[in-house]
């Protein structure tokens, strides 16, 4: 039985716009992931991640 809606977000590097990760987040807790940092292989350093909601066919 589902306990809440989770949404899949794609994480992109804030400097070079390379896709670096994907994150499943509860709809109500998206504010917790605003300061997400990941390693970008193209920039060769840790950068902030911009989250964009992924659209899937229904």
């Amino acid at each position: 039985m589902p306990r809440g809606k989770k949404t899949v977000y794609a994480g992109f590097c804030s400097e070079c716009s390379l896709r670096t990760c994907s994150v499943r987040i509860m709809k109500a807790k998206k504010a917790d992931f605003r300061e997400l940092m990941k390693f970008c292989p193209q920039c060769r350093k840790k950068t902030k991640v911009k989250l964009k909601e992924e659209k899937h066919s229904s």
Side-chain angles (χ1 to χ4, degrees):
M1 184 172 174
R3 298 288 178 202
K5 293 244 181 212
K6 287 190 179 175
T7 308
V8 178
Y9 292 92
F12 295 91
C13 174
S14 60
E15 294 183 18
C16 67
S17 300
L18 180 74
R19 183 185 171 136
T20 55
C21 67
S22 65
V23 184
R24 287 176 58 92
I25 305 173
M26 294 286 288
K27 268 285 205 204
K29 297 188 178 183
K30 185 176 186 275
D32 297 344
F33 287 90
R34 287 188 188 146
E35 297 298 318
L36 189 62
M37 301 276 288
K38 286 281 189 179
F39 179 80
C40 176
Q42 191 168 345
C43 297
R44 306 281 300 158
K45 61 182 177 180
K46 280 184 131 180
T47 57
K48 271 189 173 178
V49 173
K50 289 188 286 185
L51 295 178
K52 292 182 187 172
E53 186 174 339
E54 286 190 329
K55 301 289 181 187
H56 295 289
S57 59
S58 51

